[in-house]
Amino acid sequence: GIQVEQSPPDLILQEGANSTLRCNFSDSVNNLQWFHQNPWGQLINLFYIPSGTKQNGRLSATTVATERYSLLYISSSQTTDSGVYFCAVSSAGGTSYGKLTFGQGTILTVHP
Amino acid sequence: DVKVTQSSRYLVKRTGEKVFLECVQDMDHENMFWYRQDPGLGLRLIYFSYDVKMKEKGDIPEGYSVSREKKERFSLILESASTNQTSMYLCASSPPDLLIFEKLFFGSGTQLSVL
């Protein structure tokens, strides 16, 4: 099946710093989503971005499908950004039923 | 607002017990999923269902079964719980595959401890 690798595994920032999280995938995808899991375990969808660029406030994401990677940018980080960020994809071709394969996640800690 | 509800936040069970984890969604979604989350491994798909009474194995179905008798409810069953099934279990739902707006919505998770 498709492989998903995220980097870095851990990231520690001071409030106000910017960061870039990366997601590499091994095959063509028809679905790519970024999620944030807060310290209480709730997973929230940040972006649905199989290709192109999107922005939502301080967060933006870019997926270069031809080169099989996606980037999540966090600007002016805040302590509430802490948590785990997951990239998840589904392989192009066939019917995926929305079935997603997740990377191992990036643990982000933002200190005040 | 979108809502996926898991019946328990924390569960403690004994080895060998039969365990039921319940998930209900109120969005009329066709697709429902059960994942487990373990440190360093991300989320791994156990089972999913794309319609009532339909089910498909995910990547790690061994030791689990599922039931979907109604569209809004998807149950995960541990027939005989074992200690290696101690984990965070996450339920999710999504619209049908062919919709452009294809997002996955998660419940808040059930932390299961098997002693």
Side-chain angles (χ1 to χ4, degrees):
Chain A
I2 193 167
Q3 304 297 311
V4 183
E5 290 186 8
Q6 291 185 241
S7 60
D10 296 278
L11 188 57
I12 300 174
L13 301 174
Q14 286 297 126
E15 206 167 24
N18 302 328
S19 62
T20 301
L21 282 59
R22 187 177 178 101
C23 171
N24 293 332
F25 42 93
S26 62
D27 203 353
S28 300
V29 298
N30 60 9
N31 189 336
L32 188 148
Q33 299 182 31
W34 283 97
F35 293 87
H36 175 226
Q37 187 174 39
N38 66 24
W40 297 271
Q42 181 68 54
L43 273 153
I44 302 295
N45 181 286
L46 297 175
F47 293 103
Y48 165 69
I49 187 166
S51 63
T53 297
K54 290 186 178 179
Q55 180 153 8
N56 184 2
R58 296 181 295 103
L59 302 181
S60 63
T62 296
T63 297
V64 183
T66 53
E67 297 187 21
R68 300 183 181 171
Y69 72 89
S70 182
L71 302 174
L72 178 69
Y73 305 97
I74 305 173
S75 65
S76 304
S77 58
Q78 300 175 357
T79 55
T80 53
D81 295 330
S82 296
V84 187
Y85 290 81
F86 289 103
C87 168
V89 304
S90 66
S91 194
T95 304
S96 70
Y97 297 107
K99 174 189 165 191
L100 294 175
T101 298
F102 282 74
Q104 297 98 319
T106 292
I107 302 172
L108 174 65
T109 304
V110 181
H111 291 302
Chain B
D1 205 9
V2 165
K3 199 157 188 180
V4 179
T5 303
Q6 294 184 230
S7 54
S8 303
R9 185 74 178 98
Y10 298 97
L11 270 181
V12 179
K13 296 292 181 180
R14 297 274 180 202
T15 302
E17 277 192 75
K18 190 169 187 176
V19 181
F20 293 86
L21 302 183
E22 306 287 345
C23 176
V24 177
Q25 51 97 0
D26 65 357
M27 296 162 286
D28 202 36
H29 284 167
E30 281 75 5
N31 301 335
M32 295 189 75
F33 307 83
W34 276 105
Y35 286 86
R36 66 176 279 177
Q37 181 180 6
D38 301 287
L41 297 178
L43 278 72
R44 293 178 291 165
L45 183 64
I46 305 171
Y47 267 96
F48 66 103
S49 167
Y50 53 89
D51 202 352
V52 176
K53 297 191 185 293
M54 305 299 288
K55 60 185 179 183
E56 293 283 343
K57 292 180 179 179
D59 300 317
I60 51 164
E62 297 78 18
Y64 303 94
S65 62
V66 290
S67 172
R68 191 157 181 211
E69 296 296 320
K70 294 184 178 182
K71 190 176 185 181
E72 66 271 17
R73 186 181 296 271
F74 192 35
S75 303
L76 180 70
I77 304 158
L78 288 65
E79 295 289 343
S80 178
S82 63
T83 54
N84 63 12
Q85 292 178 310
T86 291
S87 186
M88 169 70 84
Y89 290 88
L90 290 154
C91 174
S93 72
S94 76
D97 189 55
L98 296 180
L99 284 182
I100 295 173
F101 186 78
E102 190 175 338
K103 285 188 176 182
L104 205 57
F105 298 91
F106 279 90
S108 54
T110 296
Q111 179 63 52
L112 173 66
S113 297
V114 182
L115 307 178

